[in-house]
Amino acid sequence: MKITFLGTGTSQGIPVIGSKHPVCLSKNPKDKRLRVSVLVEWDDFAYVIDCGPDFRQQMLRSKCEKINGILFTHEHSDHVAGLDDIRPLCYMNGDMNIYAHERVIKSIKNRFDYIFKTENKYPGAPTVITNVINNKPFNLSGLEVIPINANHYFVQVFGFRFNDFAYLTDIKTVDDNELEKLKKLKILVINALRIEPHISHFNLDEALQFVDKVKPKKAYFTHISHLLGFHDEVQRRLPENIFLAYDGLQLTL
């Protein structure tokens, strides 16, 4: 299995428009972050988790020409706003499968109503196949995927476990019974927004505490804002098995 971090930034990305913050002015490419998304590949299959406003750029940068489907963690704009950009993938490879909570699919249908039209549909619009997921394992191209139910303040979100890899973003709380699904991980990806506490995201200390509770072999932090600090400086302060993810980083299991 190969994991590619397509984006590791928070909802504004880094640099933030108009910001003169030192991290936003950094020349280090690891400090430049598109909106959060990850590509998971195994055998001949490829799935993306979340499809934000940078999706087109991420597909071009990663040279990804085909995906089998998109999993959505939740309905916020930085996770769904790029859906229209699946058009060339649909033209080349056919209708796109999407997987999400029923509430999220309803939100996407409201936002991209033209994609879901069945009569007089604009011929250039993409077409998706909706797959409603709940808090039960489901099958993706022969692989069992286990949802992890979590809370993004008052918004329910799903994380996903693929074999020994788990990806969670935009979380603030996770019930203890859901933590059972995260045992014996080789790689955990979790959000770590900034140093100061935040109402709906783990800050750095909370992310470190979560890793200590789950005890994966390795952990990678994502959904990072400029307020976390410079990539290299933060990385030097982290434990030896914990890393800041960055755009373009690839991992293999």
Side-chain angles (χ1 to χ4, degrees):
M1 179 178 289
K2 183 170 74 171
I3 298 101
T4 303
F5 289 87
L6 301 173
T8 56
T10 187
S11 57
Q12 296 184 89
I14 307 175
V16 176
I17 294 173
S19 175
K20 299 298 188 291
H21 188 281
V23 174
C24 291
L25 300 177
S26 171
K27 302 299 183 183
N28 185 348
K30 292 181 180 178
D31 286 321
K32 300 184 186 303
R33 303 180 186 276
L34 300 179
R35 266 60 73 91
V36 66
S37 179
V38 68
L39 172 67
V40 184
E41 300 173 272
W42 67 92
D43 299 332
D44 294 323
F45 306 109
Y47 288 85
V48 167
I49 302 178
D50 288 331
C51 180
D54 299 317
F55 179 77
R56 173 184 172 274
Q57 185 178 353
Q58 291 165 342
M59 291 293 96
L60 291 171
R61 186 170 66 179
S62 65
K63 297 181 171 55
C64 182
E65 298 178 355
K66 181 178 180 179
I67 59 175
N68 298 91
I70 303 169
L71 289 72
F72 289 100
T73 58
H74 64 296
E75 65 270 37
H76 286 169
S77 184
D78 53 322
H79 299 261
V80 305
L83 187 60
D84 186 76
D85 284 334
I86 67 172
R87 282 182 292 155
L89 297 174
C90 290
Y91 300 157
M92 291 186 292
N93 306 307
D95 299 351
M96 181 71 69
N97 277 287
I98 63 171
Y99 302 80
H101 189 284
E102 184 175 13
R103 181 199 77 248
V104 177
I105 288 179
K106 181 179 179 181
S107 175
I108 292 171
K109 285 183 175 179
N110 288 336
R111 183 166 188 160
F112 298 96
D113 60 328
Y114 61 93
I115 291 178
F116 295 88
K117 278 191 173 183
T118 56
E119 295 182 6
N120 300 318
K121 182 175 179 176
Y122 182 69
T127 300
V128 301
I129 302 166
T130 58
N131 298 269
V132 175
I133 58 175
N134 49 38
N135 198 16
K136 295 179 181 179
F138 59 99
N139 185 281
L140 281 185
S141 300
L143 183 73
E144 182 184 64
V145 178
I146 301 173
I148 296 93
N149 198 51
N151 298 297
H152 179 37
Y153 189 36
F154 58 82
V155 177
Q156 179 273 344
V157 299
F158 274 139
F160 301 100
R161 177 170 182 162
F162 302 73
N163 290 341
D164 296 327
F165 165 73
Y167 180 88
L168 295 89
T169 187
D170 289 55
I171 71 167
K172 182 66 174 181
T173 58
V174 184
D175 291 341
D176 287 343
N177 60 320
E178 293 296 307
L179 293 178
E180 293 294 311
K181 301 175 182 179
L182 298 174
K183 287 184 174 180
K184 298 181 179 179
L185 286 172
K186 290 183 179 176
I187 295 177
L188 168 69
V189 177
I190 189 72
N191 54 293
L193 183 72
R194 64 189 192 188
I195 303 298
E196 295 296 318
H198 189 274
I199 194 169
S200 61
H201 290 276
F202 280 165
N203 68 350
L204 181 60
D205 284 345
E206 290 168 327
L208 288 167
Q209 292 167 21
F210 189 78
V211 172
D212 187 58
K213 187 182 294 186
V214 173
K215 292 180 169 45
K217 287 189 175 180
K218 292 182 179 181
Y220 290 82
F221 292 160
T222 192
H223 206 286
I224 294 164
S225 86
H226 60 295
L227 299 176
L228 187 64
F230 292 103
H231 181 283
D232 291 348
E233 292 182 5
V234 176
Q235 182 61 63
R236 282 193 290 269
R237 300 195 299 267
L238 294 178
E240 62 180 9
N241 67 325
I242 300 178
F243 308 89
L244 289 190
Y246 55 87
D247 289 19
L249 173 64
Q250 291 189 335
L251 309 174
T252 303
L253 283 86

